[in-house]
Amino acid sequence: MFTDVKRWFMWGRTEQSGASQYKWVIEPVGEGFVARVKEFWRYRRILWFLSVQQIKGSYQGYSLGIGWLFLRPLLPILISTFIFGNLLNVPSDGLPYFLFFLAGQASWHVFERSLLMVTRSLYQGQGMLKKVYFPRIMAPISSMAISVVWFGTFTGLLILAAFYYLFKDGVWYLRLGPQLLIAPLCVVASLVLSLGIGLFTSVLQLRFREMRYTLRYFTRFWSYLTPVIYPMSLVPPEHRWIIYINPMAPLVETFKWSLFGVGSFPVIPLLSALAVIAVVLLAGIWYFSRMEASAVDRM
Amino acid sequence: MDNLFVDSLSKSFILGRAPEEQPFRMRQIVNTARRWVGRGPADDAPKGRREFWALKDVSFRVQPGTVLGIIGANGAGKSTLLKIIARVLTPTGGRVVGVGRCISLLELGAGFDPDLSARDNIIMNAAMNGVPKSEVMRRFDAIMEFAETGEFLDTALKHYSSGMYLRLAFSCAINMDPQILLADEILAVGDVAFQERCLQRVKDEAARGLTVLFVSHDMEAITRVCARVIWLNRGAVFRDGDPEEVVDEYQNAIWETADLATAERGRHVNRFGRILSVALVAESGNEIGAAPTDQRCAVRIRVETFIKETITQCAMDLYAGNVWLLRARADKSRRVDPGLYDVYFRIPSDFLAQTTYTVSVSLTLRRKNDERDYPLVMYKALKFMAYTGEGTVERTSKRTALLAPRLNWDIEPFAVRTEADSGQASDGNTSDAAADTTLAADPATKAQP
């Protein structure tokens, strides 16, 4: 008796006092967009939690610790620098090729990894998705959290590299100024694009196990259509639009421009890329919310 | 007021592969091309693709404080029902209306992440169920206390045994102060002590107004805890009512279907002889279909032997449901010549209880001067009901034990016994029992209340 009273008293003190009596309805037809957004907001703590777990889980048990974090992207970049910069002498807008390629990779690699993580998210989260309810879309969104770490790593590498060249050649390549703020925005835009595409691929991954491998294959070609290993200036101006159809191209180009002031700030391609990203994201959300129920059936 | 209302809920799954999931076949490409040209098969939908209704038109209402048992064979839709109420699956039709916080324990777990520690999992689980962190912290001790896994609080769950995992999951769920708890097979892996505490806790919480949907294959637990039972059969509510009645009916039904499904009934014939029939007979020798518990009856095994001087030894196994109650052996082997024989296993009066029994018989045949045994076995050779006739003592409970032998008993004034006394007393008992029954039953089995 006493515990009961105490319990209700305690309930009353929390902000959820009404929650104990709220009514819920489950129906075949999903709720409307506004209801979904509200629900998303109600579950926002899960998003944070899943994101933190994603990051914790990825770097748990690494014996090299933080060193590995930097080493993992650095080694392939060093190899590529040697091949493209030293052997093939690919031009780099006057920058040391290593720095140029590092910046390109920073924006491209974060996008690519994020896309692969989002694609895998539903497949990996099956155990939980089958047992408890939370808005499904949180699984793909939270799986992008790791990209923040990657971006941080690349930022660290870029700063280290800039200092390295400062001491070696006495040149400070980074262009400090307000335009530097555009760089992270480019990365954010590319992450949104990866989410938009990932909302499709994560659902498809459940049906076609080879989705992820196919995608990996595909992104390799995509990276060649993006000015990562070569500068945009290498492309004849009359053909640049072909490259700029790819929404990642202006993002990478702008990223490099905002860091070093090399290349150009492609206004129109950038706007068209943003439009494409918005469309892809909306289509992804639409597709995902239409397919999520049957996706869980399939798990 | 009901706090859970399930209204004509249906759920269908598509079995087989969707067309776009079919592996590429040349014929498909050719057919598509022919369709474009304008002639060709209308549709090359893959065969074997069909709808499967896991739930069909399931409706029920539950009042607060009810423990509702859900029983049914595997694949009857129990878990699907719970998953829909937990919102994990989306229904195909119908709807569910609930009031209050609904917490689920599906598929042996609350959706824990094996890589996280117990502490992190509890916090995450609470978040998933909409419990604020401050409240979880307040309940933390209660959760750990009930789970009894306190010393492993910071151990990753993947190192937990399945029992510990379940304890934590259950403790976590019940301490979140739900109004509705969905429990799917929560007793499956816990030890007996934990099962007891689990059931007791469920009862206590129900008394305070918690609604529990309790899926289990443990019928004993179901009848003990539940106030009402729903029997799902192929996705539909087959029975809904008093636990004891529904469970009894369910157990009889499974037993019957299991009986039919037994393709292998043992070896009935070999070169020494064969089992012709097994029947239940009354004292008069007439075959009967059911045994009155207050009269003597016998299991008659009709055997034919083919070879001279076959050494025969018999045994009979008695089952109730899937419990092997006892094995009755013939006291000695006999030597028989070719011909037809009846073997009787006599069942004393006041021995059976009011339930359904199944009999398996085995016959071991051996030739003289041959070491080897040639067994003849007939599994589930006979099934019969026992019923209490008149003159039987009324039992208080409707549910019966599996055996109800009338034992000799006495009441004596208390006195300190010497060892010699007690030895004598037990001797007396044994001889009594031997005189009463022709069955050599295991005394431990017989001594069941």
Side-chain angles (χ1 to χ4, degrees):
Chain A
M1 175 61 195
F2 176 70
T3 51
D4 262 11
V5 171
K6 194 169 151 201
R7 193 212 298 252
W8 286 111
F9 176 64
M10 281 158 89
W11 265 106
R13 297 209 321 178
T14 63
E15 68 277 13
Q16 294 225 342
S17 59
S20 63
Q21 287 305 319
Y22 81 95
K23 189 171 166 181
W24 41 267
V25 179
I26 299 168
E27 279 180 328
V29 186
E31 293 136 327
F33 186 74
V34 178
R36 301 293 297 254
V37 171
K38 277 185 184 162
E39 185 192 42
F40 190 91
W41 181 246
R42 256 206 333 275
Y43 277 89
R44 63 195 180 277
R45 280 169 58 217
I46 305 286
L47 188 64
W48 175 248
F49 210 94
L50 289 174
S51 307
V52 172
Q53 284 328 312
Q54 161 87 16
I55 293 171
K56 265 193 198 168
S58 301
Y59 291 101
Q60 223 165 37
Y62 277 15
S63 51
L64 281 173
I66 196 127
W68 186 229
L69 198 69
F70 288 100
L71 220 57
R72 219 170 106 184
L74 195 59
L75 286 176
I77 289 172
L78 286 174
I79 292 166
S80 300
T81 304
F82 177 71
I83 294 172
F84 295 118
N86 296 22
L87 292 184
L88 297 176
N89 280 320
V90 177
S92 51
D93 285 344
L95 293 169
Y97 189 81
F98 174 72
L99 204 57
F100 172 83
F101 186 64
L102 186 62
Q105 274 293 322
S107 49
W108 173 259
H109 191 76
V110 168
F111 164 77
E112 185 185 5
R113 296 298 305 218
S114 163
L115 179 56
L116 293 174
M117 291 309 277
V118 173
T119 301
R120 200 171 59 169
S121 60
L122 285 186
Y123 184 66
Q124 256 198 339
Q126 279 184 86
M128 199 165 282
L129 290 165
K130 273 160 76 177
K131 283 178 187 152
V132 275
Y133 179 78
F134 55 91
R136 305 301 183 203
I137 204 165
M138 284 184 169
I141 293 178
S142 66
S143 70
M144 291 196 302
I146 193 74
S147 317
V148 177
V149 178
W150 287 324
F151 182 59
T153 311
F154 275 108
T155 311
L157 283 175
L158 275 169
I159 293 169
L160 286 178
F163 276 109
Y164 170 76
Y165 283 109
L166 178 65
F167 289 118
K168 186 173 160 254
D169 304 341
V171 190
W172 178 252
Y173 288 105
L174 282 183
R175 191 172 56 140
L176 298 175
Q179 82 286 349
L180 209 55
L181 292 174
I182 297 174
L185 290 181
C186 288
V187 173
V188 169
S190 73
L191 288 182
V192 173
L193 179 65
S194 78
L195 178 66
I197 301 169
L199 288 175
F200 287 95
T201 53
S202 61
V203 172
L204 293 173
Q205 167 79 27
L206 290 173
R207 288 197 190 176
F208 313 105
R209 291 292 134 83
E210 67 267 44
M211 187 71 223
R212 198 154 178 268
Y213 305 110
T214 317
L215 200 64
R216 198 168 253 189
Y217 193 70
F218 174 72
T219 50
R220 176 156 301 166
F221 291 109
W222 192 351
S223 77
Y224 293 132
L225 287 176
T226 312
V228 177
I229 56 169
Y230 56 89
M232 206 62 198
S233 54
L234 200 67
V235 183
E238 65 270 26
H239 293 313
R240 277 184 195 166
W241 64 271
I242 301 175
I243 300 291
Y244 276 142
I245 287 176
N246 158 23
M248 276 309 287
L251 291 179
V252 171
E253 190 64 8
T254 311
F255 185 81
K256 284 192 271 197
W257 172 84
S258 76
L259 285 188
F260 308 117
V262 298
S264 58
F265 182 65
V267 180
I268 292 167
L270 200 59
L271 288 177
S272 86
L274 290 178
V276 169
I277 290 169
V279 169
V280 170
L281 179 69
L282 289 176
I285 291 174
W286 170 80
Y287 178 78
F288 189 87
S289 49
R290 209 171 65 97
M291 297 304 285
E292 60 182 318
S294 68
V296 178
D297 282 358
R298 239 166 241 283
M299 284 175 182
Chain B
M1 195 194 73
D2 304 321
N3 77 339
L4 185 66
F5 174 38
V6 175
D7 181 22
S8 60
L9 198 66
S10 299
K11 171 78 188 170
S12 73
F13 291 101
I14 305 293
L15 299 183
R17 289 167 156 217
E20 68 272 20
E21 283 170 72
Q22 295 282 318
F24 276 116
R25 295 247 165 75
M26 204 56 207
R27 194 181 345 155
Q28 272 179 311
I29 300 168
V30 171
N31 281 349
T32 314
R34 282 171 66 190
R35 264 203 300 281
W36 283 346
V37 176
R39 45 191 178 157
D43 188 18
D44 45 6
K47 285 170 199 159
R49 191 171 147 77
R50 62 191 176 88
E51 260 187 343
F52 166 72
W53 288 88
L55 284 180
K56 210 159 191 183
D57 218 14
V58 171
S59 302
F60 58 86
R61 287 161 174 277
V62 193
Q63 288 186 327
T66 312
V67 183
L68 174 68
I70 297 172
I71 59 175
N74 293 335
K78 306 182 296 286
S79 296
T80 309
L81 174 65
L82 257 56
K83 279 185 173 179
I84 290 175
I85 299 175
R87 302 188 69 180
V88 170
L89 294 180
T90 315
T92 315
R95 63 188 208 144
V96 182
V97 182
V99 176
R101 183 182 289 164
C102 176
I103 290 188
S104 56
L105 279 167
L106 305 175
E107 290 186 359
L108 302 184
F112 286 159
D113 184 339
D115 286 324
L116 296 185
S117 68
R119 187 195 302 273
D120 289 347
N121 264 306
I122 291 172
I123 295 168
M124 178 163 80
N125 201 256
M128 300 240 175
N129 288 306
V131 182
K133 194 168 175 178
S134 59
E135 212 182 303
V136 186
M137 291 335 246
R138 220 165 38 221
R139 283 155 206 261
F140 218 90
D141 291 339
I143 293 172
M144 295 322 288
E145 190 190 330
F146 192 81
E148 292 179 335
T149 51
E151 54 185 312
F152 307 107
L153 185 57
D154 293 311
T155 311
L157 282 198
K158 61 186 167 193
H159 302 304
Y160 272 43
S161 73
S162 54
M164 281 160 68
Y165 188 94
L166 186 73
R167 276 162 186 241
L168 188 69
F170 177 80
S171 177
C172 193
I174 201 126
N175 282 302
M176 296 288 175
D177 210 5
Q179 265 78 48
I180 300 171
L181 178 71
L182 308 174
D184 193 353
E185 288 292 355
I186 50 169
L187 303 176
V189 291
D191 58 25
V192 179
F194 184 70
Q195 286 181 10
E196 280 308 308
R197 286 199 302 138
C198 243
L199 293 178
Q200 195 52 49
R201 185 68 189 267
V202 166
K203 270 181 159 174
D204 292 350
E205 294 290 328
R208 286 182 207 157
L210 170 72
T211 299
V212 184
L213 262 59
F214 188 80
V215 169
S216 181
H217 288 289
D218 182 348
M219 292 303 142
E220 199 266 336
I222 291 264
T223 43
R224 249 175 58 205
V225 183
C226 298
R228 179 180 153 201
V229 169
I230 284 180
W231 171 5
L232 282 183
N233 189 26
R234 297 181 181 209
V237 176
F238 188 66
R239 288 279 183 279
D240 180 352
D242 176 67
E244 294 195 347
E245 283 170 20
V246 178
V247 165
D248 270 355
E249 200 180 339
Y250 172 70
Q251 279 182 321
N252 285 335
I254 340 178
W255 197 231
E256 261 156 34
T257 48
D259 215 27
L260 288 176
T262 313
E264 175 74 54
R265 286 186 160 232
R267 197 172 155 79
H268 302 173
V269 60
N270 63 18
R271 60 197 158 104
F272 296 97
R274 61 174 163 163
I275 297 174
L276 293 171
S277 70
V278 180
L280 183 71
V281 294
E283 225 177 348
S284 62
N286 296 333
E287 284 190 21
I288 47 175
T293 57
D294 56 347
Q295 283 169 33
R296 284 193 277 181
C297 55
V299 173
R300 188 194 65 200
I301 309 162
R302 187 156 286 169
V303 215
E304 186 179 6
T305 53
F306 306 139
I307 293 178
K308 261 186 113 174
E309 296 220 336
T310 308
I311 298 165
T312 312
Q313 172 71 284
C314 286
M316 176 186 89
D317 292 318
L318 191 64
Y319 299 83
N322 48 3
V323 180
W324 183 10
L325 281 179
L326 56 89
R327 156 160 289 186
R329 280 170 302 158
D331 46 356
K332 56 180 176 288
S333 49
R334 305 273 169 86
R335 205 167 283 191
V336 291
D337 287 332
L340 279 177
Y341 295 93
D342 280 343
V343 179
Y344 288 97
F345 276 100
R346 298 206 165 76
I347 299 171
S349 62
D350 296 313
F351 179 73
L352 299 178
Q354 183 165 328
T355 180
T356 308
Y357 295 98
T358 310
V359 173
S360 295
V361 295
S362 61
L363 212 64
T364 311
L365 302 173
R366 182 153 33 114
R367 217 174 359 189
K368 209 171 67 174
N369 309 326
D370 193 346
E371 290 291 297
R372 276 175 298 173
D373 287 334
Y374 297 91
L376 283 176
V377 187
M378 201 164 177
Y379 294 116
K380 296 174 180 171
L382 171 71
K383 193 174 115 177
F384 66 90
M385 291 271 297
Y387 61 92
T388 47
E390 290 162 359
T392 320
V393 184
E394 273 296 314
R395 274 180 303 271
T396 44
S397 161
K398 253 191 286 181
R399 283 184 61 72
T400 64
L402 300 176
L403 283 178
R406 176 172 294 175
L407 300 179
N408 291 330
W409 72 292
D410 215 341
I411 186 159
E412 291 170 12
F414 173 75
V416 180
R417 289 188 178 197
T418 63
E419 277 198 5
D421 282 342
S422 63
Q424 210 175 8
S426 71
D427 275 0
N429 276 341
T430 332
S431 59
D432 268 1
D436 264 11
T437 65
T438 51
L439 285 176
D442 182 9
T445 326
K446 235 169 104 178
Q448 274 182 1

